[in-house]
Amino acid sequence: MTEALFTPFHAGAIAMANRIVMAPLTRNRARAEDDSPIDMHVEYYTQRASAGLLITEATQISPEGKGYYATPGIYTPAQVAGWMAVNDSVHAAGGKIVMQLWHVGRISHTSLQPDGQAPVAPSAVAADSKTFDGTGFVATSTPRALRLDEMARIVADYRHAAENAKAAGFDGVELHAANGYLLDQFLRDTSNHRTDAYGGSIENRARLLAEALAALVDVWGPGRVGIRLSPFSSANAVGFDRDTMALFGHVVDILNQYDLAYVHFVEGETGGSRDLAPGMDLDALRTRLKAPYMANNGYDRALALETVASGRADMIAFGKPFIANPDLVARLAADAPLNALDAATMYGGGRKGYTDYPLMDATLAA
């Protein structure tokens, strides 16, 4: 009998060959001059097209949204053309791919911002975090608070990016609202100290997320928009809201107003422990969702098989295993050994540690 993990699934309007997803993975290999994808990206994503769904590395919606060196954008014609080449190749290989739309907010450095300006955020509160500037990891810069009259521009940037992603031939988009980046910064009272319509109450702090999501759905229609959230993570020093469950319960209610492709949760600390603090309840949020549920964070083969078979998740997103194993789906199906990850080549560089990981030997799959 075929395990449920390997069976076809519809994430909204996106028909997947299996329930294995390649999670968004920042690799810092875009063309440094204009943040466009290059031929190397075409090969990298096509190698992994056997996943039921590929989610691109986080892709900034505007120059202001950039927080790391050589991360790709989706706001210029050259960037759209670069991504179109990726999509054409992935689709020719039978794959499905969505773009993760990203604004980092305060997780940036003045050297990465237009004209060396300060990054923007809900409030002028520095993050005790670091970013990659091309030579190493440096402390993030103190941001300036966005003005009330700038909020419409931020939403317009999300809309423009969604339109460009559609023009580039993606199968959908994922709104990045996780891991301490801009939308997550607005959600939490640790980083949002505003007293206007975008601060204070939970409803106000969730307003920008709601407006950005509505813009994406307006562009893409039903079943083509997903969202990533990290309710139980303090990634990028964002900290925990005073009432996490009430906050993200309200966010789930917003999501339930739309016919989404999926909702993607980081379960626990991003890249860390899956254990939750007292009072945190993943199942309470998961069972409240109407959209298909994508689980992420620390999944191995056994946990993935059991979680999908039990119905606790519809899809499982794998991150680092997909870096080192372009044929991860085949390896999981065969219960074959996995390549080891070369951590030194994760961020920046060329093909080494990017497109040169070996495929499973045919004798292992026999």
Side-chain angles (χ1 to χ4, degrees), residues 283-310:
D283 286 340
L285 296 179
R286 178 184 58 79
T287 57
R288 194 164 166 175
L289 288 167
K290 292 182 178 178
Y293 176 62
M294 182 186 296
N296 174 281
N297 200 32
Y299 275 83
D300 59 15
R301 182 180 189 274
L303 183 58
L305 288 173
E306 192 275 327
T307 301
V308 174
S310 70

PDB file of all heavy atoms in Angstrom, residues 283-310:
ATOM      1  N   ASP A 283      -2.441  22.302  17.886  1.00  0.00           N
ATOM      2  CA  ASP A 283      -3.655  21.632  17.405  1.00  0.00           C
ATOM      3  C   ASP A 283      -4.864  22.558  17.437  1.00  0.00           C
ATOM      4  O   ASP A 283      -5.734  22.481  16.563  1.00  0.00           O
ATOM      5  CB  ASP A 283      -3.938  20.377  18.237  1.00  0.00           C
ATOM      6  CG  ASP A 283      -2.982  19.242  17.905  1.00  0.00           C
ATOM      7  OD1 ASP A 283      -2.384  19.277  16.808  1.00  0.00           O
ATOM      8  OD2 ASP A 283      -2.826  18.331  18.737  1.00  0.00           O
ATOM      9  N   ALA A 284      -4.920  23.444  18.425  1.00  0.00           N
ATOM     10  CA  ALA A 284      -6.061  24.363  18.510  1.00  0.00           C
ATOM     11  C   ALA A 284      -6.108  25.286  17.299  1.00  0.00           C
ATOM     12  O   ALA A 284      -7.200  25.601  16.792  1.00  0.00           O
ATOM     13  CB  ALA A 284      -5.983  25.183  19.796  1.00  0.00           C
ATOM     14  N   LEU A 285      -4.948  25.717  16.826  1.00  0.00           N
ATOM     15  CA  LEU A 285      -4.908  26.556  15.631  1.00  0.00           C
ATOM     16  C   LEU A 285      -5.109  25.728  14.369  1.00  0.00           C
ATOM     17  O   LEU A 285      -5.853  26.123  13.469  1.00  0.00           O
ATOM     18  CB  LEU A 285      -3.573  27.302  15.556  1.00  0.00           C
ATOM     19  CG  LEU A 285      -3.282  28.309  16.671  1.00  0.00           C
ATOM     20  CD1 LEU A 285      -1.910  28.944  16.458  1.00  0.00           C
ATOM     21  CD2 LEU A 285      -4.355  29.386  16.739  1.00  0.00           C
ATOM     22  N   ARG A 286      -4.454  24.583  14.315  1.00  0.00           N
ATOM     23  CA  ARG A 286      -4.534  23.747  13.110  1.00  0.00           C
ATOM     24  C   ARG A 286      -5.962  23.315  12.825  1.00  0.00           C
ATOM     25  O   ARG A 286      -6.427  23.370  11.679  1.00  0.00           O
ATOM     26  CB  ARG A 286      -3.634  22.518  13.279  1.00  0.00           C
ATOM     27  CG  ARG A 286      -3.662  21.549  12.108  1.00  0.00           C
ATOM     28  CD  ARG A 286      -2.822  20.319  12.409  1.00  0.00           C
ATOM     29  NE  ARG A 286      -3.258  19.620  13.596  1.00  0.00           N
ATOM     30  CZ  ARG A 286      -4.310  18.795  13.631  1.00  0.00           C
ATOM     31  NH1 ARG A 286      -5.040  18.587  12.548  1.00  0.00           N
ATOM     32  NH2 ARG A 286      -4.629  18.182  14.762  1.00  0.00           N
ATOM     33  N   THR A 287      -6.673  22.875  13.846  1.00  0.00           N
ATOM     34  CA  THR A 287      -8.037  22.377  13.631  1.00  0.00           C
ATOM     35  C   THR A 287      -9.024  23.507  13.337  1.00  0.00           C
ATOM     36  O   THR A 287     -10.116  23.253  12.832  1.00  0.00           O
ATOM     37  CB  THR A 287      -8.516  21.586  14.859  1.00  0.00           C
ATOM     38  OG1 THR A 287      -8.430  22.421  16.031  1.00  0.00           O
ATOM     39  CG2 THR A 287      -7.660  20.343  15.072  1.00  0.00           C
ATOM     40  N   ARG A 288      -8.632  24.733  13.612  1.00  0.00           N
ATOM     41  CA  ARG A 288      -9.478  25.889  13.325  1.00  0.00           C
ATOM     42  C   ARG A 288      -9.372  26.317  11.858  1.00  0.00           C
ATOM     43  O   ARG A 288     -10.224  27.056  11.351  1.00  0.00           O
ATOM     44  CB  ARG A 288      -9.040  27.032  14.241  1.00  0.00           C
ATOM     45  CG  ARG A 288      -9.974  28.220  14.354  1.00  0.00           C
ATOM     46  CD  ARG A 288      -9.559  29.007  15.587  1.00  0.00           C
ATOM     47  NE  ARG A 288     -10.144  30.337  15.671  1.00  0.00           N
ATOM     48  CZ  ARG A 288      -9.988  31.140  16.724  1.00  0.00           C
ATOM     49  NH1 ARG A 288      -9.265  30.734  17.754  1.00  0.00           N
ATOM     50  NH2 ARG A 288     -10.547  32.327  16.745  1.00  0.00           N
ATOM     51  N   LEU A 289      -8.324  25.847  11.174  1.00  0.00           N
ATOM     52  CA  LEU A 289      -8.080  26.235   9.788  1.00  0.00           C
ATOM     53  C   LEU A 289      -9.055  25.566   8.832  1.00  0.00           C
ATOM     54  O   LEU A 289      -9.366  24.384   8.980  1.00  0.00           O
ATOM     55  CB  LEU A 289      -6.656  25.841   9.370  1.00  0.00           C
ATOM     56  CG  LEU A 289      -5.498  26.644   9.946  1.00  0.00           C
ATOM     57  CD1 LEU A 289      -4.190  25.914   9.673  1.00  0.00           C
ATOM     58  CD2 LEU A 289      -5.471  28.047   9.338  1.00  0.00           C
ATOM     59  N   LYS A 290      -9.473  26.308   7.810  1.00  0.00           N
ATOM     60  CA  LYS A 290     -10.290  25.733   6.739  1.00  0.00           C
ATOM     61  C   LYS A 290      -9.430  25.260   5.573  1.00  0.00           C
ATOM     62  O   LYS A 290      -9.801  24.330   4.863  1.00  0.00           O
ATOM     63  CB  LYS A 290     -11.314  26.758   6.246  1.00  0.00           C
ATOM     64  CG  LYS A 290     -12.390  27.093   7.260  1.00  0.00           C
ATOM     65  CD  LYS A 290     -13.396  28.090   6.683  1.00  0.00           C
ATOM     66  CE  LYS A 290     -14.503  28.402   7.680  1.00  0.00           C
ATOM     67  NZ  LYS A 290     -15.469  29.409   7.142  1.00  0.00           N
ATOM     68  N   ALA A 291      -8.295  25.898   5.350  1.00  0.00           N
ATOM     69  CA  ALA A 291      -7.431  25.580   4.208  1.00  0.00           C
ATOM     70  C   ALA A 291      -6.622  24.324   4.479  1.00  0.00           C
ATOM     71  O   ALA A 291      -6.427  23.922   5.638  1.00  0.00           O
ATOM     72  CB  ALA A 291      -6.491  26.752   3.936  1.00  0.00           C
ATOM     73  N   PRO A 292      -6.103  23.673   3.437  1.00  0.00           N
ATOM     74  CA  PRO A 292      -5.158  22.572   3.633  1.00  0.00           C
ATOM     75  C   PRO A 292      -3.981  23.030   4.481  1.00  0.00           C
ATOM     76  O   PRO A 292      -3.538  24.181   4.398  1.00  0.00           O
ATOM     77  CB  PRO A 292      -4.724  22.226   2.204  1.00  0.00           C
ATOM     78  CG  PRO A 292      -5.869  22.643   1.345  1.00  0.00           C
ATOM     79  CD  PRO A 292      -6.413  23.884   2.000  1.00  0.00           C
ATOM     80  N   TYR A 293      -3.463  22.107   5.276  1.00  0.00           N
ATOM     81  CA  TYR A 293      -2.421  22.444   6.248  1.00  0.00           C
ATOM     82  C   TYR A 293      -1.082  21.837   5.842  1.00  0.00           C
ATOM     83  O   TYR A 293      -0.979  20.633   5.588  1.00  0.00           O
ATOM     84  CB  TYR A 293      -2.808  21.958   7.642  1.00  0.00           C
ATOM     85  CG  TYR A 293      -1.728  22.198   8.666  1.00  0.00           C
ATOM     86  CD1 TYR A 293      -1.311  23.489   8.965  1.00  0.00           C
ATOM     87  CD2 TYR A 293      -1.110  21.138   9.331  1.00  0.00           C
ATOM     88  CE1 TYR A 293      -0.307  23.717   9.887  1.00  0.00           C
ATOM     89  CE2 TYR A 293      -0.111  21.361  10.268  1.00  0.00           C
ATOM     90  CZ  TYR A 293       0.286  22.658  10.540  1.00  0.00           C
ATOM     91  OH  TYR A 293       1.286  22.883  11.449  1.00  0.00           O
ATOM     92  N   MET A 294      -0.054  22.688   5.795  1.00  0.00           N
ATOM     93  CA  MET A 294       1.316  22.282   5.498  1.00  0.00           C
ATOM     94  C   MET A 294       2.145  22.406   6.773  1.00  0.00           C
ATOM     95  O   MET A 294       2.228  23.485   7.363  1.00  0.00           O
ATOM     96  CB  MET A 294       1.898  23.166   4.403  1.00  0.00           C
ATOM     97  CG  MET A 294       3.311  22.799   3.979  1.00  0.00           C
ATOM     98  SD  MET A 294       3.988  24.007   2.790  1.00  0.00           S
ATOM     99  CE  MET A 294       2.871  23.804   1.391  1.00  0.00           C
ATOM    100  N   ALA A 295       2.768  21.311   7.182  1.00  0.00           N
ATOM    101  CA  ALA A 295       3.577  21.288   8.398  1.00  0.00           C
ATOM    102  C   ALA A 295       5.052  21.417   8.051  1.00  0.00           C
ATOM    103  O   ALA A 295       5.504  20.932   7.013  1.00  0.00           O
ATOM    104  CB  ALA A 295       3.334  19.998   9.167  1.00  0.00           C
ATOM    105  N   ASN A 296       5.794  22.054   8.940  1.00  0.00           N
ATOM    106  CA  ASN A 296       7.211  22.312   8.686  1.00  0.00           C
ATOM    107  C   ASN A 296       7.953  22.381  10.007  1.00  0.00           C
ATOM    108  O   ASN A 296       7.407  22.859  10.998  1.00  0.00           O
ATOM    109  CB  ASN A 296       7.355  23.646   7.929  1.00  0.00           C
ATOM    110  CG  ASN A 296       8.798  24.072   7.739  1.00  0.00           C
ATOM    111  OD1 ASN A 296       9.414  24.599   8.654  1.00  0.00           O
ATOM    112  ND2 ASN A 296       9.323  23.855   6.569  1.00  0.00           N
ATOM    113  N   ASN A 297       9.189  21.921   9.985  1.00  0.00           N
ATOM    114  CA  ASN A 297      10.171  22.107  11.056  1.00  0.00           C
ATOM    115  C   ASN A 297      10.580  20.772  11.665  1.00  0.00           C
ATOM    116  O   ASN A 297       9.842  20.167  12.449  1.00  0.00           O
ATOM    117  CB  ASN A 297       9.690  23.040  12.171  1.00  0.00           C
ATOM    118  CG  ASN A 297      10.867  23.587  12.993  1.00  0.00           C
ATOM    119  OD1 ASN A 297      11.959  23.774  12.462  1.00  0.00           O
ATOM    120  ND2 ASN A 297      10.656  23.835  14.270  1.00  0.00           N
ATOM    121  N   GLY A 298      11.747  20.332  11.292  1.00  0.00           N
ATOM    122  CA  GLY A 298      12.355  19.166  11.920  1.00  0.00           C
ATOM    123  C   GLY A 298      11.742  17.831  11.560  1.00  0.00           C
ATOM    124  O   GLY A 298      11.886  16.863  12.317  1.00  0.00           O
ATOM    125  N   TYR A 299      11.081  17.746  10.421  1.00  0.00           N
ATOM    126  CA  TYR A 299      10.457  16.480  10.037  1.00  0.00           C
ATOM    127  C   TYR A 299      11.492  15.533   9.421  1.00  0.00           C
ATOM    128  O   TYR A 299      12.273  15.923   8.552  1.00  0.00           O
ATOM    129  CB  TYR A 299       9.317  16.711   9.033  1.00  0.00           C
ATOM    130  CG  TYR A 299       8.017  17.033   9.708  1.00  0.00           C
ATOM    131  CD1 TYR A 299       7.735  18.335  10.118  1.00  0.00           C
ATOM    132  CD2 TYR A 299       7.082  16.044   9.975  1.00  0.00           C
ATOM    133  CE1 TYR A 299       6.547  18.642  10.760  1.00  0.00           C
ATOM    134  CE2 TYR A 299       5.891  16.338  10.622  1.00  0.00           C
ATOM    135  CZ  TYR A 299       5.628  17.638  11.008  1.00  0.00           C
ATOM    136  OH  TYR A 299       4.450  17.925  11.660  1.00  0.00           O
ATOM    137  N   ASP A 300      11.473  14.276   9.894  1.00  0.00           N
ATOM    138  CA  ASP A 300      12.195  13.211   9.217  1.00  0.00           C
ATOM    139  C   ASP A 300      11.172  12.292   8.566  1.00  0.00           C
ATOM    140  O   ASP A 300       9.963  12.559   8.613  1.00  0.00           O
ATOM    141  CB  ASP A 300      13.102  12.442  10.184  1.00  0.00           C
ATOM    142  CG  ASP A 300      12.349  11.802  11.350  1.00  0.00           C
ATOM    143  OD1 ASP A 300      11.095  11.694  11.298  1.00  0.00           O
ATOM    144  OD2 ASP A 300      13.013  11.401  12.318  1.00  0.00           O
ATOM    145  N   ARG A 301      11.636  11.239   7.933  1.00  0.00           N
ATOM    146  CA  ARG A 301      10.745  10.363   7.184  1.00  0.00           C
ATOM    147  C   ARG A 301       9.649   9.779   8.076  1.00  0.00           C
ATOM    148  O   ARG A 301       8.461   9.808   7.731  1.00  0.00           O
ATOM    149  CB  ARG A 301      11.547   9.233   6.531  1.00  0.00           C
ATOM    150  CG  ARG A 301      10.710   8.272   5.673  1.00  0.00           C
ATOM    151  CD  ARG A 301      11.589   7.189   5.062  1.00  0.00           C
ATOM    152  NE  ARG A 301      10.848   6.405   4.088  1.00  0.00           N
ATOM    153  CZ  ARG A 301      10.102   5.344   4.381  1.00  0.00           C
ATOM    154  NH1 ARG A 301       9.985   4.939   5.651  1.00  0.00           N
ATOM    155  NH2 ARG A 301       9.464   4.684   3.422  1.00  0.00           N
ATOM    156  N   ALA A 302      10.027   9.253   9.220  1.00  0.00           N
ATOM    157  CA  ALA A 302       9.061   8.581  10.085  1.00  0.00           C
ATOM    158  C   ALA A 302       7.982   9.541  10.568  1.00  0.00           C
ATOM    159  O   ALA A 302       6.787   9.221  10.538  1.00  0.00           O
ATOM    160  CB  ALA A 302       9.771   7.937  11.271  1.00  0.00           C
ATOM    161  N   LEU A 303       8.391  10.723  11.005  1.00  0.00           N
ATOM    162  CA  LEU A 303       7.413  11.691  11.506  1.00  0.00           C
ATOM    163  C   LEU A 303       6.515  12.181  10.380  1.00  0.00           C
ATOM    164  O   LEU A 303       5.312  12.373  10.576  1.00  0.00           O
ATOM    165  CB  LEU A 303       8.133  12.857  12.166  1.00  0.00           C
ATOM    166  CG  LEU A 303       7.241  13.928  12.815  1.00  0.00           C
ATOM    167  CD1 LEU A 303       6.340  13.327  13.883  1.00  0.00           C
ATOM    168  CD2 LEU A 303       8.098  15.057  13.402  1.00  0.00           C
ATOM    169  N   ALA A 304       7.094  12.374   9.198  1.00  0.00           N
ATOM    170  CA  ALA A 304       6.292  12.819   8.060  1.00  0.00           C
ATOM    171  C   ALA A 304       5.251  11.778   7.666  1.00  0.00           C
ATOM    172  O   ALA A 304       4.074  12.111   7.439  1.00  0.00           O
ATOM    173  CB  ALA A 304       7.196  13.125   6.870  1.00  0.00           C
ATOM    174  N   LEU A 305       5.664  10.530   7.583  1.00  0.00           N
ATOM    175  CA  LEU A 305       4.725   9.452   7.235  1.00  0.00           C
ATOM    176  C   LEU A 305       3.582   9.396   8.231  1.00  0.00           C
ATOM    177  O   LEU A 305       2.397   9.319   7.856  1.00  0.00           O
ATOM    178  CB  LEU A 305       5.451   8.108   7.200  1.00  0.00           C
ATOM    179  CG  LEU A 305       6.415   7.844   6.052  1.00  0.00           C
ATOM    180  CD1 LEU A 305       7.169   6.538   6.289  1.00  0.00           C
ATOM    181  CD2 LEU A 305       5.679   7.783   4.726  1.00  0.00           C
ATOM    182  N   GLU A 306       3.912   9.439   9.520  1.00  0.00           N
ATOM    183  CA  GLU A 306       2.896   9.298  10.566  1.00  0.00           C
ATOM    184  C   GLU A 306       1.968  10.503  10.608  1.00  0.00           C
ATOM    185  O   GLU A 306       0.755  10.366  10.797  1.00  0.00           O
ATOM    186  CB  GLU A 306       3.596   9.101  11.915  1.00  0.00           C
ATOM    187  CG  GLU A 306       2.682   8.662  13.038  1.00  0.00           C
ATOM    188  CD  GLU A 306       1.984   9.824  13.732  1.00  0.00           C
ATOM    189  OE1 GLU A 306       2.598  10.908  13.813  1.00  0.00           O
ATOM    190  OE2 GLU A 306       0.827   9.655  14.177  1.00  0.00           O
ATOM    191  N   THR A 307       2.516  11.704  10.410  1.00  0.00           N
ATOM    192  CA  THR A 307       1.710  12.916  10.506  1.00  0.00           C
ATOM    193  C   THR A 307       0.691  12.999   9.384  1.00  0.00           C
ATOM    194  O   THR A 307      -0.469  13.364   9.606  1.00  0.00           O
ATOM    195  CB  THR A 307       2.623  14.161  10.509  1.00  0.00           C
ATOM    196  OG1 THR A 307       3.519  14.078  11.624  1.00  0.00           O
ATOM    197  CG2 THR A 307       1.816  15.438  10.604  1.00  0.00           C
ATOM    198  N   VAL A 308       1.094  12.659   8.164  1.00  0.00           N
ATOM    199  CA  VAL A 308       0.157  12.687   7.044  1.00  0.00           C
ATOM    200  C   VAL A 308      -0.842  11.531   7.158  1.00  0.00           C
ATOM    201  O   VAL A 308      -2.045  11.715   6.925  1.00  0.00           O
ATOM    202  CB  VAL A 308       0.909  12.649   5.700  1.00  0.00           C
ATOM    203  CG1 VAL A 308      -0.080  12.518   4.540  1.00  0.00           C
ATOM    204  CG2 VAL A 308       1.740  13.917   5.527  1.00  0.00           C
ATOM    205  N   ALA A 309      -0.370  10.353   7.537  1.00  0.00           N
ATOM    206  CA  ALA A 309      -1.269   9.201   7.668  1.00  0.00           C
ATOM    207  C   ALA A 309      -2.341   9.451   8.717  1.00  0.00           C
ATOM    208  O   ALA A 309      -3.498   9.021   8.564  1.00  0.00           O
ATOM    209  CB  ALA A 309      -0.472   7.950   8.021  1.00  0.00           C
ATOM    210  N   SER A 310      -1.994  10.174   9.775  1.00  0.00           N
ATOM    211  CA  SER A 310      -2.941  10.441  10.859  1.00  0.00           C
ATOM    212  C   SER A 310      -3.917  11.560  10.521  1.00  0.00           C
ATOM    213  O   SER A 310      -4.891  11.766  11.248  1.00  0.00           O
ATOM    214  CB  SER A 310      -2.173  10.818  12.126  1.00  0.00           C
ATOM    215  OG  SER A 310      -1.572  12.096  11.982  1.00  0.00           O
TER     216      SER A 310
END
